[in-house]
Amino acid sequence: MVAIERENKTKIYFVQKLDRANGLFLAPHKDANCDARHRDKTDPFKFLQMGSGTLVKSKIRRVVVDEIGRIRDPGPLKI
């Protein structure tokens, strides 16, 4: 699971796929059956695809979600 900053909000995603040429493919953490929905031409759902530069700009970071759904987010790095 990762957290990114989008539209001035922190959003949680899970990493569906990592591709060397195309970057990360992310899906919202509350969505189910994302791979089949992404391949279905009639479903408007698509993975969020982000390259390395965009990931850095959106302050990506790893988060931990425990068994009862609590999120531990260290927050964006302060550089």
Side-chain angles (χ1 to χ4, degrees):
M1 300 281 244
V2 294
I4 60 172
E5 306 294 324
R6 286 182 57 103
E7 302 159 359
N8 295 324
K9 293 183 181 179
T10 300
K11 298 192 178 190
I12 307 296
Y13 290 88
F14 69 89
V15 178
Q16 180 69 30
K17 183 170 69 168
L18 170 63
D19 187 86
R20 183 180 293 177
N22 297 318
L24 286 180
F25 290 82
L26 306 172
H29 76 288
K30 292 184 178 179
D31 283 353
N33 201 17
C34 293
D35 190 43
R37 289 179 61 202
H38 178 74
R39 286 185 271 126
D40 184 5
K41 301 294 183 204
T42 61
D43 194 336
F45 175 84
K46 295 295 173 205
F47 290 135
L48 177 63
Q49 180 182 355
M50 299 180 87
S52 60
T54 309
L55 289 169
V56 170
K57 288 178 186 173
S58 23
K59 302 176 185 173
I60 190 168
R61 60 205 175 265
R62 180 177 172 238
V63 296
V64 177
V65 180
D66 67 10
E67 295 82 11
I68 60 174
R70 291 180 298 194
I71 297 172
R72 287 190 295 161
D73 182 1
L77 291 176
K78 299 189 174 46
I79 299 175

